[in-house]
Amino acid sequence: MCIFCKIVNNELPSYKVYEDDEFLAILDIAQTTDGHTLVFPKKHIVDIFEIDDETLSKLITLTKKLSDKVVTKMNATGLNLLNNTNESAGQSVHHIHFHIIPRYDESDEVTISFNRKSKFDLEEILNKING
Ligand code: 5GP
Ligand code: ZN
C-alpha cells in the first residue's frame, strides 16, 4: 500500500488541512514554504493519465478552494500549484496529488527556473504534437 493510502487509512499520522469522503489534504512532511499542502483523492489513482475527468474536476476545484484558504490564512502573497507526473518529472509518491506551495516573496525558499534550450525547431515540435 502506498504512503498516501496508509495516511488515508490512518495507518500513518498526518496533519489534516481538509477531509471529506473522497478527498484529503495534508501538510507536506517536508515544508518547502510554510503551509505547503498536498491534496489528493482517497482512492488510489496513480497519476493524471489514470484519473477520470469527474474526479479530476472535483480535485482541482477543491485544490482551488484550499489554495485560497491556505494563502489567506498564512498571509502569503501567491502560490505555486504543482503536479509531478512520473519519476522523470519528480513524482516520488505514485498516488496523484497537487502541491499547494504558498509564496511569500521572491527570496523565499523556492526557486523555479526554466532553462532555455539553445536550439529547437518549433515547427518540427508542433508537427510531432499535432501531426
Ligand atoms: P511528489 O515528489 O510525488 O510530487 O511529492 C510527494 C510529496 O510527499 C513530497 O513533497 C514529500 O515530502 C511528501 N511526503 C512523502 N512522505 C510523506 C509522509 O509520510 N507524510 C506527508 N505528510 N508527506 C509526505
Ligand atoms: Zn495510494
Side-chain angles (χ1 to χ4, degrees):
M1 195 187 289
C2 90
I3 289 173
F4 289 176
C5 283
K6 285 185 182 162
I7 289 172
V8 167
N9 291 337
N10 287 313
E11 289 172 33
L12 281 176
S14 68
Y15 290 89
K16 293 178 184 174
V17 174
Y18 176 87
E19 182 169 23
D20 65 24
D21 288 348
E22 277 185 273
F23 299 97
L24 186 59
I26 60 172
L27 292 180
D28 194 305
I29 204 165
Q31 292 281 287
T32 300
T33 60
D34 286 355
H36 183 175
T37 298
L38 305 169
V39 194
F40 48 91
K42 287 186 168 177
K43 188 177 165 205
H44 183 84
I45 299 169
V46 172
D47 61 24
I48 198 93
F49 299 123
E50 198 180 282
I51 194 167
D52 63 275
D53 290 353
E54 193 190 336
T55 308
L56 178 61
S57 299
K58 288 184 192 168
L59 177 61
I60 197 69
T61 302
L62 175 61
T63 302
K64 179 190 169 185
K65 277 186 197 149
L66 294 176
S67 295
D68 190 10
K69 181 176 183 182
V70 170
V71 165
T72 304
K73 292 286 183 83
M74 293 302 293
N75 285 319
T77 51
L79 79 156
N80 292 107
L81 199 55
L82 180 68
N83 166 257
N84 298 324
T85 301
N86 223 324
E87 277 97 355
S88 58
Q91 185 177 13
S92 58
V93 177
H94 293 269
H95 181 136
I96 190 170
H97 53 280
F98 283 102
H99 294 254
I100 296 170
I101 305 172
R103 298 299 302 271
Y104 296 91
D105 59 56
E106 283 159 26
S107 61
D108 63 19
E109 299 88 338
V110 182
T111 312
I112 295 176
S113 65
F114 295 97
N115 294 330
R116 308 289 173 195
K117 291 176 70 174
S118 56
K119 279 189 182 166
F120 50 85
D121 182 334
L122 291 182
E123 194 154 333
E124 188 187 327
I125 293 166
L126 192 66
N127 277 337
K128 276 192 186 169
I129 296 171
N130 286 344

